[in-house]
Each structure stands twice: as C-alpha cells, then as structure tokens.
Amino acid sequence: MFTKELLKKKIIIITGGGTGLGKSMAQRFGELGANLVITSRKLEVLEETAEELRTSGANVLPLQCDIRIPDEVEEMISRAVGEFGAVDVLVNNAAGNFISPTERLSPGGFKVIVDIVLNGTFNCTLSAGKEMIKRGGGVILNIITTYAWTGSGYVVPSACAKAGVLAMTRSLAVEWAKYGIRTNAIAPGPFPTEGAWKRLVVPGLGIEKKMKKRIPLKRFGEQRELADLATFLISDGAGYINGEVVTIDGGEWLKGAGQFNDLDKVPSSAWKLISKRR
Ligand code: HXC
Ligand code: NAP
C-alpha cells in the first residue's frame, strides 16, 4: 500500500506504544523507515515491544513516562530529542477506560480517566509541540473514538475526555498551522486489543456479540487497517489534511451511536462484581 521508505528517518513518538493499537502503529511506522519512541508507564512491556520492533530494522527508544505528570513528559520529550535530534510526529494514543454506571463512579474514578486521556494528551502535545515549533513543523495525531461526539452511557469519563481531545485537535489545527504543524485525529470503532477488551468486554454480558452485530460490515477492525490509516495521515502525502477526524469503524456509529448504551440491561447486582475487575 505504501512505498517502502515512506516514513524514512521520521522521528515518531507514540504514547501507549508498547501495547495494542499503539504497538501496531509502531510496527507499521518502523517497517516504513521511521525512528520510534514508544512510551508508557510499564518499562518492561515497552522494552519487550522494542525488541520485537527492532527485528524489522527499526530504531526504537523505549521510554518510561506517566503522561499525567508534566515533568515526566518534559523529560521523555527531551530524551527523545537527545537521542534522535527532533520530534516530527506525536501520536497521542495512550488512554485509560472502564465501564461503570455513572452514579457508581467516585470523583477519583472520573479524574483518573480525564487525567490520562485529556490532561495526558495535553501534556504531551505541549512539550512535543514546543519542539515542533522550534523546528518549524510537525504532525500531531490523536486517537479518539466515535463517542467523542455522540457520547455514550457507561463510559462517561472517557467520553468527556475524548470530546476534549477532539476539541483540542480542531483548535490546534487552526492555531498551530502557522507553525507548520498539522493536527488530526482517528476515531476507531471496536478493534480487539487486550487492554480494551479486558476493561470493556466483560465476559458473560454478551457485549462482544452485540458490538459486532451493530457494525454494518459485521466484523471488528483489524489493527493493521488502523495502522495504515495512521501512516497515511502522518505522511507528507497528507500534507493538506489538517483538523480532520477520520472514522474507521465499519459504519458502526451511523447505525446507532454510543457503543455502551446497551449496558442499561445489566442488573445492578452485576456492577459490584464488574467494578472489582482491574
Ligand atoms: C469504577 C474504578 C474502576 C472500575 C478504577 N476505578 N477502576 N471505578 N469501576 N472498573 C477508580 C478507582 O476506584 C479509583 O477511584 C480510581 O478509579 C483510580 O483507580 P486506580 O486503580 O488507582 O487507577 P490506576 O492504577 O491509575 O489505573 C488506571 C485505570 C486502569 C484507568 C483504572 O484501568 C489502567 O491503567 N488503564 C490503562 C489502559 C486502558 O484502560 N486501556 C483501555 C483503553 S480502551 P478512587 O475514588 O478510589 O480514587 C478505550 C476504548 C474506547 O479507550 C472505545 C472502545 C470502543
Ligand atoms: P491499550 O493497549 O490498553 O492501550 C492503552 C495504552 O495507554 C497502554 O499501552 C498503556 O500503557 C498506556 N497508558 C495508560 N495510562 C497511561 C499513562 N498514565 N501514561 C502513559 N501511558 C499510559 O488499549 P488500545 O485498545 O490499544 O487503545 C489505544 C487507543 O485506542 C486508546 O486511545 C483508546 O481509547 C483508543 N481506542 C481503542 C479502541 C479499541 O476498540 N481498541 C476503540 C476506540 C478507541 P501502560 O499501562 O504501560 O501505561
């Protein structure tokens, strides 16, 4: 689909790059010649992923960082610049999520998700953005989801935070275009990953079957499909795309918004058990 050296020498930071969709994007960008920085809280996971990615010849720097903490983010960006000399692309992919009736949430439960998804995205965008401004350009790609604009019951903290990231995407697309920075987003529908499934697809509730049934294409996304879309959006070929959100969901949200609204049917006794799953 792409020429082999499409991303040659591009310096790309992927938050949450050790697992799931972040890892798949890293894999694809690496195959196409990029220098990669993958970052998240668990260094062991990052190091294992880095080893795997290096088998395709990519340069990979795994860096531990909790994106909720501005000082750690500053340090991560400065180490990335120290290693590779610049930041060309930032992919804000890291997230936290769980399902819960809103009335069962504590303020801490709301805060933890908003801190990771919205504040964490801002922290990375600010630090990497300053580097891009210094250098005269760059690309920011935010991974959101379709309920950023439709909303969804049972994932209210995530919906609120992703809506904020959508607003950030469109705002900076305008404000930072003058610095040569393009800002876009991808809104995936369901893509099976260990992290998302563990927290959102609780066994015994038939969630997976219902999710698939709602998708007009009648299947989940393949991680490679999302990685290819991300590749296009960060590449120079997409140089005039700025402020866009590309949905990749098999038509899901158009058929019925809010992936988790159906959880209305879960009996209240079950939520006590579900909330213990971490
Ligand atoms: C209710 C919960 C809860 C749950 C945690 N909390 N899990 N409340 N139900 N299931 C509350 C706690 O009680 C606590 O509140 C607060 O949240 C912080 O909890 P911790 O366990 O201390 O947080 P932490 O260890 O920082 O872990 C963060 C996490 C965890 C978000 C809770 O799940 C995580 O690390 N997630 C990272 C990866 C992830 O979530 N991936 C999925 C992305 S999928 P108090 O009041 O006690 O302080 C995705 C898909 C979107 O986004 C769309 C799909 C279609
Ligand atoms: P995942 O594997 O759980 O990815 C989340 C990543 O975020 C993990 O690597 C995690 O690593 C990292 N992370 C969490 N908290 C962090 C923090 N405080 N600081 C730094 N890193 C942190 O799940 P995924 O399915 O691949 O999700 C990737 C992205 O796609 C997310 O933005 C998600 O909202 C979005 N998305 C996924 C789906 C889907 O169906 N899979 C659908 C729509 C949108 P550590 O635990 O090591 O920190």
Side-chain angles (χ1 to χ4, degrees):
M1 180 163 184
F2 301 114
T3 53
K4 242 185 151 189
E5 300 194 330
L6 186 77
L7 302 177
K8 194 169 179 200
K9 299 228 157 75
K10 285 218 186 282
I11 299 140
I12 304 178
I13 299 180
I14 306 168
T15 67
T19 65
L21 300 179
K23 179 177 173 180
S24 293
M25 286 187 273
Q27 175 86 47
R28 192 68 176 120
F29 301 162
E31 283 166 14
L32 296 166
N35 290 323
L36 302 166
V37 178
I38 54 173
T39 182
S40 77
R41 295 166 301 178
K42 300 189 189 99
L43 188 59
E44 254 176 56
V45 174
L46 294 169
E47 278 171 347
E48 207 175 295
T49 297
E51 267 312 299
E52 242 182 86
L53 297 174
R54 286 182 191 120
T55 58
S56 68
N59 286 325
V60 191
L61 178 66
L63 291 179
Q64 185 169 32
C65 166
D66 185 330
I67 59 168
R68 291 171 286 190
I69 303 169
D71 287 350
E72 288 193 20
V73 173
E74 278 281 325
E75 168 74 12
M76 180 271 290
I77 298 289
S78 100
R79 285 181 65 190
V81 172
E83 174 79 13
F84 293 121
V87 182
D88 293 315
V89 179
L90 168 69
V91 182
N92 283 308
N93 164 79
N97 205 354
F98 52 73
I99 49 171
S100 175
T102 303
E103 66 276 18
R104 291 183 61 96
L105 286 173
S106 64
F110 184 81
K111 185 174 181 304
V112 72
I113 301 303
V114 174
D115 272 353
I116 300 170
V117 175
L118 180 56
N119 297 337
T121 296
F122 180 75
N123 293 336
C124 295
T125 301
L126 182 63
S127 291
K130 285 190 209 160
E131 285 299 327
M132 292 176 187
I133 291 168
K134 257 196 257 166
R135 190 157 180 255
V139 176
I140 297 168
L141 180 64
N142 296 326
I143 308 301
I144 57 165
T145 188
T146 55
Y147 60 58
W149 60 88
T150 67
S152 172
Y154 302 93
V155 284
V156 163
S158 171
C160 296
K162 293 286 192 188
V165 176
L166 173 58
M168 198 190 309
T169 305
R170 290 177 170 151
S171 305
L172 288 179
V174 175
E175 188 183 336
W176 281 1
K178 63 177 175 287
Y179 299 124
I181 300 173
R182 295 192 292 115
T183 309
N184 291 298
I186 290 179
F191 282 70
T193 64
E194 202 186 318
W197 255 228
K198 185 173 140 197
R199 289 162 181 105
L200 304 172
V201 184
V202 178
L205 299 180
I207 296 178
E208 190 169 37
K209 204 166 152 203
K210 280 185 209 141
M211 272 168 121
K212 202 180 271 181
K213 221 167 137 194
R214 301 172 66 244
I215 302 169
L217 286 178
K218 298 292 172 225
R219 68 171 177 88
F220 294 131
E222 286 172 20
Q223 295 192 25
R224 174 71 169 224
E225 293 172 317
L226 184 134
D228 278 340
L229 173 59
T231 299
F232 169 66
L233 287 172
I234 64 167
S235 73
D236 296 342
Y240 202 51
I241 300 181
N242 185 30
E244 187 53 87
V245 182
V246 182
T247 300
I248 177 164
D249 73 342
E252 187 201 32
W253 84 272
L254 289 169
K255 191 165 173 194
Q259 271 110 346
F260 298 94
N261 283 329
D262 258 7
L263 295 180
D264 271 342
K265 290 163 200 135
V266 175
S268 61
S269 55
W271 282 112
K272 202 167 173 188
L273 290 173
I274 293 167
S275 71
K276 300 223 153 39
R277 292 166 46 87
R278 298 286 150 92

